[in-house]
Amino acid sequence: MVITNEQVAQYAFLRQLYRDDYYPDHVVDRGRVILMRLCERIETDRPSDLAALYTLTHAATEEFNRLEAEFHAAGSEIETVAREEIAGDFWFVASAYGFADADVEELIASREW
């Protein structure tokens, strides 16, 4: 699926992680895919309210939970810088799709990192 939201289509997800050698690009790439897939789900399912959006973001957060093992295997982890970057990108997605009032902590409430 092609992302139709122009703001999202032009956005560089996880930019800070790509700039830091501590985070292996091949694992960060997988995180970027999770965020892009979240955008596709939002465009397909068109959540009508925050509760519906949170359902989608929680599922994506659980994918990041599983990705944590890959970071560890590559000698990295989802630590403070990564947590902030991921959380910021979740909020960017919510905002870009008209949910600027979303609570960033609730967007990623199912996180284990």
Side-chain angles (χ1 to χ4, degrees):
M1 174 180 179
V2 175
I3 299 296
T4 61
N5 181 310
E6 196 169 316
Q7 185 180 11
V8 171
Q10 296 177 10
Y11 187 75
F13 285 105
L14 305 175
R15 178 182 9 231
Q16 187 69 22
L17 303 187
Y18 281 113
R19 290 181 181 163
D20 189 331
D21 290 338
Y22 178 69
Y23 307 102
D25 285 352
H26 73 280
V27 181
V28 177
D29 288 344
R30 301 228 18 227
R32 182 182 174 283
V33 167
I34 292 168
L35 291 164
M36 293 300 293
R37 195 168 35 245
L38 171 62
C39 295
E40 290 171 358
R41 288 179 186 142
I42 292 171
E43 290 191 9
T44 300
D45 297 343
R46 304 276 185 211
S48 59
D49 58 18
L50 282 173
L53 175 69
Y54 292 149
T55 298
L56 297 176
T57 63
H58 292 173
T61 300
E62 290 168 14
E63 291 184 63
F64 270 100
N65 289 343
R66 292 187 293 276
L67 191 61
E68 174 74 7
E70 292 186 43
F71 275 102
H72 279 285
S76 184
E77 65 180 310
I78 299 178
E79 44 68 71
T80 305
V81 171
R83 280 192 300 270
E84 293 298 317
E85 184 74 1
I86 294 166
D89 282 355
F90 268 87
W91 188 86
F92 166 78
V93 169
S95 180
Y97 286 102
F99 294 96
D101 56 339
D103 180 298
V104 70
E105 289 301 319
E106 183 58 33
L107 289 169
I108 57 172
S110 60
R111 74 180 169 157
E112 296 173 358
W113 28 271

